[in-house]
Amino acid sequence: MSINQAQSETSAELVFPDQGVIHDFAGLPVDASGWEWRLNIATASNLMRWKRLPFKCQSNLDATVRFIRHVMESQSSTSAMNTFRALVLAFQSSSFVEADLADQVIPISLFHDLRGATHDWRLHYVRQWYSFGADHGFKNFSPEVAFAI
């Protein structure tokens, strides 16, 4: 399977980690039970479509859903959407795609791939995601990489 084929869509075998109804930082409810979340943002683009992320590995999907939930509850829905958009771009990296396909540790080369390929200011979203995954013990997130970034 080529990188482009791997990037095309989320694997059909994955099970979405249902978060039920959660409350964002403003205390407003968000239905986080399925592949699409409608956020409380006063803009036209308030729909988070999880199928846009090319996951093949359940653990990486679980970590990312938990992280976005954490951002919504501790920061804001707008910050969660900005984070989600940055991750959509980050997950196009060959370093991420290859690690996700193989269900292996996401390497530091992900950050090397992204530097210059995207606006550097977006990297903080990706660093927060990676650090969250490592801090919460998700198997494909290395504490050593988290420390180095």
Side-chain angles (χ1 to χ4, degrees):
M1 177 182 296
S2 74
I3 296 291
N4 288 338
Q5 288 172 319
Q7 291 175 316
S8 64
E9 59 186 32
T10 298
S11 176
E13 296 87 39
L14 297 183
V15 176
F16 189 82
D18 183 347
Q19 302 297 295
V21 174
I22 61 176
H23 291 85
D24 64 16
F25 189 69
L28 300 171
V30 175
D31 179 0
S33 62
W35 290 100
E36 292 187 351
W37 298 4
R38 188 164 306 280
L39 307 186
N40 298 301
I41 304 173
T43 65
S45 58
N46 67 345
L47 190 61
M48 192 176 283
R49 292 183 173 97
W50 286 94
K51 292 265 184 179
R52 290 183 61 199
L53 300 176
F55 291 111
K56 304 302 177 196
C57 170
Q58 184 71 48
S59 177
N60 292 339
L61 172 62
D62 293 346
T64 305
V65 168
R66 289 258 316 271
F67 174 64
I68 293 294
R69 176 185 180 154
H70 168 75
V71 173
M72 287 183 61
E73 292 175 335
S74 64
Q75 297 175 27
S76 70
S77 290
T78 300
S79 184
M81 184 59 85
N82 290 339
T83 301
F84 184 83
R85 288 181 184 142
L87 292 174
V88 167
L89 296 174
F91 295 166
Q92 294 173 20
S93 159
S94 61
S95 293
F96 175 80
V97 171
E98 291 167 7
D100 188 63
L101 276 170
D103 194 11
Q104 295 179 344
V105 169
I106 302 162
I108 198 166
S109 59
L110 167 66
F111 297 90
H112 301 295
D113 293 350
L114 297 177
R115 190 162 306 282
T118 185
H119 299 289
D120 283 349
W121 63 267
R122 288 185 179 162
L123 287 177
H124 80 278
Y125 295 119
V126 183
R127 283 192 292 269
Q128 287 176 343
W129 162 78
Y130 199 99
S131 294
F132 179 92
D135 289 347
H136 287 84
F138 286 96
K139 68 177 186 167
N140 292 338
F141 294 79
S142 160
E144 292 80 14
V145 171
F147 180 76
I149 58 173

